[in-house]
Structure formats: C-alpha cells, structure tokens
C-alpha cells in the first residue's frame, strides 16, 4: 500500500461469517475502515433466513451480531448485490481488500430419476419459505399426507420437524402468518427421514435429535433392522461423544413399545436406505412413491447397495442433502465444491496463484458445513492472512468512504444503512409485540424497504 489513510476493506455478505470477519479485523493493530455489503435489506444471513423459527435460543445469536454492528465503526450498506449492482472491479477501485462471505442459499443437486417431478422439493427452498426470505415465493404446496425427507443432517431434522409439528405449536415463534396458515391446513400424518448410511454415520446433533422426542402429538418411529454397526461405526461411537449420544438416543427409541404410541402424526427415521428414484406410477407428472435401495455397511462406515429396493408411498419428497454456494461474477469459483477458490482464505486463481486483495471466509470459503461458531474460527484465519499481506495490498485509487456512496447514488441503487435496519427491526418487533411474540418478519423486499425508510420520528 502506498498511502497513509486507513486500509479500506469491503466485506461482502452480512451473515455471521461477514460480521465476525469485520469484527476481528476491526480489533487488529491495522488501522482500517470497513464497509459491510449485504444484498438483502436485512443483515444476519442464515441466522435470520435459515435457523428454524422454533429455535429461538439460536436466533438470539442475532443479538450478539447486532451489538457488533451497533458500535458504529463497521458501516453496513445493505440491499446491494455485489456482482450486479456493483462489480468486483468497482469495489477494487474503492477498497484495498475485499472479503467474500457470501455463504450458500441453494440446494445441492441430487441426480436421481424423477427428481424433477411435481412434489419434489429442495430443503433450502422450503427453509427460505418458512423463514420468509424476501426473494422466495410466499406460497408452498402442503398437500401431502406422507412425506419423504432425504438426508441425515440437521437440515433434514429441521425440515422433518417443521413438517410434522402442529402449526399451533409454532405460534409463539416468529413464523410468519402465511406460513402458519399453510402449516395449519397441512394434512400430513407421516414424515419419513431416510439416511443412506447407518445410525453411527448420521450427522444429527444430539440436542436436535433429542428434541424430536418432545414434539407434542408426534411419535418417533425407528426400525430395529436398520441398526447395523460395522467396525467403522464402533470406532465412530468410541471416538466421539456426539456420535455416542446420537446412537444412544436412536437405540432408546427402538425399545419403545408401538402399542404405547397414539399420536396423530409420526416421524419415522430410516437408516441404510439410499435414494434411488422418485416414482410417478400413474403418469400424472407427480411423485407418488419414493424408491430406496437397501445399503449395507462396508466395515469402514461407507455403504454399498444391496440391489433390494422398496417403494414408500409418499406424495412429496424433500432433499436435504446439503447446501451449495453460488459464484460472484469475476471471482474465481470451484464449481465442483461450490466455493470461492482459496487457500486459507486467500482467493487464488485456477492455477493456484493468489489474487491480490481478495479473500473469503465462512461457508463460501470452505463449503456449507458447520455451525455458526465455526465461521468465527474461519474469520480468524482469513483475517490473520489479510493482516500479514497488508503491506503488499494494492492501493485503491478512490480511498474516501464517501466515494462509494456517490457511486451507489449515481446508479440509483436503493441502498440501506444501519439506521434503516434499526427502524425495520423496531417495526418487526412492534408487529410481534401486538401478538405477544418477539417479532413478526416483514416478508417482501418492497415492504422491508418501506418500513426501513418510513419517516423517522
Ligand atoms: C437451514 C439451516 C439451519 C441452520 N441452523 C443452525 C443452527 O440452529 N445453529 C447453528 O449453529 N448453525 C445453524 N446453521 C448453520 C449456519 O447457518 C451457518 O454456519 C452460517 O450461517 C454460515 O455463515 P455465512 O456467513 O458463511 O453464510 P450466510 O449465513 O449464508 O450469510 C451470507 C450472507 O451473504 C449475503 N450475500 C450473498 N451473496 C451476496 C452478494 N452477491 N452481495 C451481497 N451480499 C451477498 C447473503 O444474503 C447472506 O446474508 C443452519 C444452516 C441452515 C442451512
Ligand atoms: N440446529 C442446528 O444446529 C443446525 C440446523 C441445521 C443445520 N445445521 C448445520 O448446517 C450444516 C449443514 O447441514 P446439512 O444438513 O445441510 O448438511 P450435512 O450435515 O452435511 O448433512 C447432509 C446429509 O445429506 C446426506 N447426503 C448427501 N448427499 C446424499 C446423497 N446423494 N444421497 C443421500 N444422502 C445424501 C449426507 O449423508 P452422508 O453423510 O452419507 O454423506 C448427510 O446425511 C451442518 O454443519 C449442520 O450441523 C445446524
């Protein structure tokens, strides 16, 4: 760098990864001036638009993230999509370094026959609907009595729990009215979760799994013949307290006498059942069965197909087989892994050479796995590398914080600031207060922008 002004840094994406990165950077010895860009009118990423509404304790992480942005030393510029509203070349004119923390919002693909039938859904789309993401439709077809959920991660549990729960048990949460109404009229009776491997390979968190056992009027059904443990499973159980707890919870459920179960809805957990096909038996273009292939453990925790297939009568299939990151225009992207190409947070090109001044953190850096807390350790690594590089960063020609605002205004981009979010936040809380709930989300972009910009008292 060849200037005495503070280092100008843009962080792209105001989810936990972006906010932690900005916070950690602001506390280093480097004199910095940080702008945090967000494409939505609201910050907090998947904490707001991914974490399930019936997990209010996790949603509270927003309070800690809020405090960071409320300090005033990190400038939030939201409702700006980097890659379309402003290009990376624009940013390089105004910032010495750019950190991408754009996360993941799409479903990973599952290429099996029938996946495009009506009644086949991606978990990420369903989550965006029930968490009222403003870029997703406000309606969702909940017309199935029997539903399959593919995958054995925490997202699969979220999907299965929200589908199986009675809507009235969600009323104290921040679920939007249209979601409550749709869930209330759902005719669902049976939700089947299918794991392609065994109980010791499930990626459920112990707490999230145990929670299923406490959902009112929903019985948990497991199948003793699915409880196969190979050497790899035994090693996994012995090597991890989490796996041990998950297996214990599942095994305890095998001991429940079905005669004692009388709930009106059931949540079935199947293991060693790999997805094979979504079946349309009557040719009407809609799924009416889900075909699985029985698998068997190979000894090391992996599985092989046995050639034995089962058709489960269902009218909807949700795939919860992982999320997938999206590229940002002109930033090196690995289409196989769905991440920005990087080495320890330094963006690299296809040949592996570092791209000076570009960094990545969070899910877009290492893929869509890990809890919110894991984005903090990510940020520490990325910021340590940025700080180590600081002397060699390119110097942005337009280094005044006002210049970027002028650019946005010249392009008539309706950007929002932290004060605008405070106003929208207060509005949502006031809507919630009227109904004895913490908040009721505003659900469309236009309404969000209007509430954020309503004349301040
Ligand atoms: C359904 C679901 C439930 C989860 N529940 C939990 C839980 O209960 N507990 C837990 O610990 N973890 C949970 N997680 C994991 C947690 O959400 C992630 O670890 C975390 O959100 C990843 O943070 P991130 O900042 O990398 O990405 P994100 O949270 O996705 O944030 C990325 C941000 O970047 C913005 N952005 C994207 N592209 C652009 C662009 N071009 N320009 C400007 N802004 C952009 C996005 O709008 C978003 O705000 C859950 C994940 C999912 C999918
Ligand atoms: N409450 C919470 O704490 C919470 C809630 C939601 C999400 N999260 C976190 O967010 C992250 C993402 O969660 P996630 O559930 O999307 O991902 P995940 O934990 O990686 O689980 C994905 C699941 O999909 C399965 N799968 C992948 N490809 C498949 C295929 N082709 N066929 C069949 N099954 C397939 C995987 O099975 P294999 O193991 O066999 O590959 C795995 O069971 C995780 O770290 C999770 O813990 C946390």
């Amino acid at each position: 760098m060849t200037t005495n002004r503070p280092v100008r840094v843009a962080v792209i994406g105001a989810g936990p990864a972006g906010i932690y990165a900005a916070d950690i950077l602001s506390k280093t010895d480097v004199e910095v001036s940080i702008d945090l860009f967000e494409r939505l009118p609201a910050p907090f990423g998947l904490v707001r638009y991914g974490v399930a509404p019936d997990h209010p304790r996790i949603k509270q992480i927003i309070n800690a993230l809020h405090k960071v942005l409320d300090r005033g030393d990190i400038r939030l510029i939201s409702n700006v999509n980097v890659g379309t509203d402003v290009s990376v070349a624009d940013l390089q004119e105004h910032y010495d370094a750019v950190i991408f923390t754009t996360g993941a919002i799409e479903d990973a693909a599952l290429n099996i026959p029938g996946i495009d039938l009506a009644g086949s859904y991606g978990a990420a789309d369903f989550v965006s609907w029930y968490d009222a993401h403003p870029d997703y439709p406000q309606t969702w077809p909940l017309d199935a009595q029997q539903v399959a959920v593919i995958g054995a991660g925490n997202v699969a549990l979220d999907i299965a729990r929200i589908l199986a729960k009675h809507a009235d048990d969600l009323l104290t949460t921040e679920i939007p009215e249209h979601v409550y109404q749709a869930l209330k009229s759902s005719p669902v009776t049976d939700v089947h979760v299918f794991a392609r491997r065994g109980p010791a390979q499930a990626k459920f968190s112990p707490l999230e799994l145990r929670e299923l056992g406490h959902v009112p009027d929903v019985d948990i059904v497991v199948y003793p013949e699915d409880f196969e443990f190979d050497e790899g499973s035994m090693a996994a159980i012995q090597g991890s307290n989490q796996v041990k707890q998950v297996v214990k919870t599942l095994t305890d459920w095998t001991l429940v006498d079905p005669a004692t179960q009388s709930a009106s809805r059931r949540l079935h957990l199947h293991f060693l059942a790999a997805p094979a096909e979504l079946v349309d038996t009557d040719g009407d273009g809609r799924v009416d069965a889900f075909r699985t292939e029985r698998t068997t453990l190979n000894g090391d925790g992996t599985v092989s197909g046995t050639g034995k297939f089962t058709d489960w009568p269902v009218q909807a299939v949700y795939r919860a087989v992982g999320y997938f990151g999206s590229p940002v225009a002109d930033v090196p992207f690995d289409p196989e892994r769905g991440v920005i190409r990087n080495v320890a947070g330094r963006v690299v090109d296809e040949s592996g050479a570092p791209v000076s001044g570009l960094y990545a953190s969070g899910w877009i850096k290492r893929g869509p796995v890990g809890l919110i807390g894991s984005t903090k350790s990510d940020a520490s690594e990325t910021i340590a590398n940025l700080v180590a590089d600081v002397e060699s960063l390119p110097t942005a020609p337009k280094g005044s914080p006002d210049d970027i605002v002028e650019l946005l205004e010249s392009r008539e981009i309706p950007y929002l600031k932290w004060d605008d979010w405070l106003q929208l936040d207060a509005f949502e809380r006031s809507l919630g207060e009227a109904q004895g709930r913490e908040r009721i989300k505003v659900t469309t972009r236009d309404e969000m922008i209007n509430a954020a910009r309503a004349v301040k008292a």
Side-chain angles (χ1 to χ4, degrees):
M1 284 205 45
T2 55
T3 168
N4 288 330
R5 61 166 170 72
V7 180
R8 293 275 293 140
V9 179
V11 180
I12 316 303
I19 297 175
Y20 289 136
D23 186 34
I24 292 169
L25 178 60
S26 72
K27 291 172 177 162
T28 64
D29 292 338
V30 179
E31 207 193 331
V32 281
S33 138
I34 305 170
D35 287 346
L36 174 58
F37 287 85
E38 168 55 50
R39 75 171 163 200
L40 297 176
F44 310 128
L46 283 171
V47 191
R48 182 174 158 99
Y49 290 119
V51 170
D54 57 346
H55 282 169
R57 198 179 49 81
I58 311 285
K59 290 268 189 205
Q60 302 259 317
I61 292 176
I62 284 180
N63 296 343
L65 300 174
H66 176 107
K67 276 191 192 148
V68 173
L69 298 186
D70 203 37
R71 288 195 315 242
D73 57 325
I74 297 162
R75 181 169 66 166
L76 178 71
I77 304 178
S78 58
N79 207 31
V80 175
N81 194 340
V82 170
T84 55
D85 293 331
V86 289
S87 67
V88 172
D90 290 330
L91 292 179
Q92 286 170 318
E93 283 271 293
H94 292 82
Y95 299 94
D96 310 311
V98 182
I99 308 172
F100 296 95
T101 52
T102 47
I105 190 84
E106 304 291 333
D107 282 291
L110 178 66
N111 293 319
I112 55 172
I115 200 72
D116 294 326
L117 286 172
S120 166
Y121 307 108
D125 291 343
F126 183 57
V127 167
S128 292
W129 170 72
Y130 69 58
D131 256 345
H133 192 297
D135 294 345
Y136 285 74
Q138 298 219 0
T139 55
W140 193 271
L142 286 169
D143 43 16
Q145 265 190 298
Q146 287 113 351
V147 180
V149 179
I150 310 172
N154 285 322
V155 171
L157 289 190
D158 279 351
I159 301 296
R161 192 183 65 255
I162 295 287
L163 284 168
K165 229 174 189 176
H166 289 281
D168 284 344
D169 293 322
L170 289 164
L171 253 191
T172 54
T173 75
E174 62 176 49
I175 65 157
E177 181 63 17
H178 64 274
V179 176
Y180 166 72
Q181 291 299 344
L183 289 169
K184 192 159 175 65
S185 53
S186 165
V188 73
T189 58
D190 292 85
V191 177
H192 298 262
V193 175
F194 292 94
R196 63 177 166 183
R197 297 194 285 154
Q201 287 76 39
K203 289 179 173 153
F204 308 139
S205 297
L207 196 66
E208 272 63 28
L209 183 65
R210 281 199 296 273
E211 180 188 354
L212 290 190
H214 303 294
V215 179
D217 194 35
V218 177
D219 283 332
I220 304 300
V221 184
V222 293
Y223 299 83
E225 62 272 25
D226 291 352
F227 283 66
E228 204 180 275
F229 298 97
D230 62 353
E231 239 176 80
S233 303
M234 298 316 291
I237 294 167
Q238 275 151 21
S240 156
N241 201 27
Q242 293 233 357
V243 176
K244 197 178 289 170
Q245 289 180 57
V246 164
V247 168
K248 179 173 181 339
T249 301
L250 292 168
T251 311
D252 286 349
W253 282 331
T254 64
L255 306 175
V256 175
D257 178 359
T260 63
Q261 296 188 306
S262 57
S264 68
R265 292 179 173 179
R266 285 155 298 280
L267 201 159
H268 309 249
L269 297 169
H270 304 268
F271 297 92
L272 302 171
E277 184 172 350
L278 277 62
V279 185
D280 170 19
T281 23
D282 56 10
D284 67 352
R286 289 196 60 84
V287 59
D288 40 43
F290 176 51
R291 182 167 300 157
T292 59
E293 180 178 11
R294 184 77 183 174
T295 60
T296 182
L297 284 158
N298 293 326
D300 59 357
T302 63
V303 286
S304 299
T306 62
K308 287 187 197 137
F309 293 88
T310 307
D311 282 4
W312 306 87
V314 296
Q315 302 81 46
V317 178
Y318 290 74
R319 57 187 184 282
V321 295
Y323 273 52
F324 205 76
S326 306
V328 177
D330 303 325
V331 182
F333 188 72
D334 178 345
E336 297 292 312
R337 295 183 53 225
V339 296
I340 288 179
R341 285 185 197 278
N342 74 94
V343 175
R346 288 184 174 106
V347 174
V348 297
D349 65 18
E350 234 171 281
S351 72
V355 182
S356 186
L358 299 192
Y359 298 84
S361 196
W363 274 19
I364 200 63
K365 168 187 177 184
R366 68 179 154 74
V369 176
L371 300 181
I372 295 162
S374 65
T375 64
K376 208 182 241 182
S377 32
D378 264 347
S380 299
E381 181 185 58
T382 297
I383 297 305
N385 284 333
L386 190 158
V387 169
D389 297 345
V390 88
E391 292 304 329
S392 59
L393 289 175
T395 306
K398 296 185 176 171
S400 152
D402 293 338
D403 291 337
I404 189 74
V405 173
E406 274 173 28
L407 177 77
L408 294 171
E409 286 177 354
S410 71
R411 291 187 185 169
E412 298 183 357
I413 293 163
Y415 69 94
L416 299 171
K417 304 183 297 295
W418 179 245
D419 274 358
D420 300 317
W421 161 250
L422 291 180
Q423 174 122 331
L424 171 56
D425 184 38
F427 181 66
E428 289 189 340
R429 286 177 189 280
S430 71
L431 290 179
E433 209 175 322
Q435 294 187 26
R437 297 159 67 181
E438 184 162 336
R439 99 170 41 239
I440 292 180
K441 279 184 194 159
V442 177
T443 55
T444 68
R445 266 185 189 257
D446 283 351
E447 285 169 333
M448 291 172 84
I449 293 167
N450 288 342
R453 288 182 162 172
V455 178
K456 295 172 176 80

